[in-house]
Amino acid sequence: MPFTLPPRIPSGPRRRSLLASAAGAALLAGCSDSPDSANTAGSPSAADRARARAARDSAALAARYAAAIAAHPALADLLRPLRTEVVRHTEAFGGSGQASASASASDSASADGGGRASASAHPSASASPAVPADRKTALSDLAAAERALADRRTKALLELPGELARLMASIAAAGAAHAFLLTEGAK
């Protein structure tokens, strides 16, 4: 009697069943309530508050850049592209890029002859922050501000829903890159 091989039996699930289950999981995930959209009694959600705070922080950082550019025009070529990105971050979080642009104009107008802008008590305040007279110190201060904001945003990631967490992580990474570029520029 001749020896015959048994018919081939697949060792795992078939491709079609894997694709069908992946598509079903995606549909179920898309239908579930997300904490992003949950409001209680008309109050803003935690995600909305985090988004608004991030927009304010980015707008304040853009104002710091504008004040540094006004105080040290020689640094404008280095700082202007970074400030433009920070304005885009403000817009990505739902803030107004126009407010940041108008803050830039008022920051330039409010810098006094000594190269220092008026001081502010909180980074989110509307008054422009003090800018050191020394260029290297001004760059170091901007780098420290970028680093601190990136660190705060990184810590906040665990409390945020999906898309907002991804946006926050991306912008935190950009802030860390800005801090590196500013540190290199201060050398």
Side-chain angles (χ1 to χ4, degrees):
M1 177 143 144
F3 179 73
T4 59
L5 293 172
R8 183 166 176 228
I9 300 173
S11 60
R14 294 182 184 253
R15 260 184 290 192
R16 276 186 237 141
S17 61
L18 285 175
L19 290 173
S21 57
L27 286 174
L28 287 176
C31 293
S32 66
D33 284 340
S34 70
D36 216 3
S37 62
N39 285 345
T40 57
S43 66
S45 70
D48 291 339
R49 289 188 307 271
R51 186 181 296 275
R53 183 176 47 253
R56 282 190 311 270
D57 289 344
S58 290
L61 187 58
R64 287 185 75 146
Y65 273 102
I69 291 168
H72 301 287
L75 296 175
D77 288 341
L78 171 66
L79 298 180
R80 198 169 286 122
L82 298 177
R83 183 186 180 282
T84 300
E85 288 301 313
V86 172
V87 170
R88 286 186 187 143
H89 298 164
T90 303
E91 293 167 350
F93 285 123
S96 170
Q98 281 295 4
S100 297
S102 64
S104 167
S106 67
D107 289 339
S108 298
S110 68
D112 64 28
R116 295 183 66 88
S118 60
S120 116
H122 188 271
S124 302
S126 60
S128 59
V131 178
D134 177 51
R135 281 189 247 173
K136 286 187 179 188
T137 306
L139 289 175
S140 295
D141 285 359
L142 276 173
E146 282 275 17
R147 202 173 297 108
L149 186 54
D151 289 345
R152 278 197 317 266
R153 287 176 171 167
T154 301
K155 288 177 186 172
L157 289 176
L158 296 176
E159 300 169 7
L160 300 175
E163 276 306 307
L164 181 56
R166 285 186 278 281
L167 175 64
M168 188 80 75
S170 175
I171 292 177
H178 289 180
F180 174 78
L181 292 171
L182 290 165
T183 303
E184 290 298 308
K187 288 183 179 179

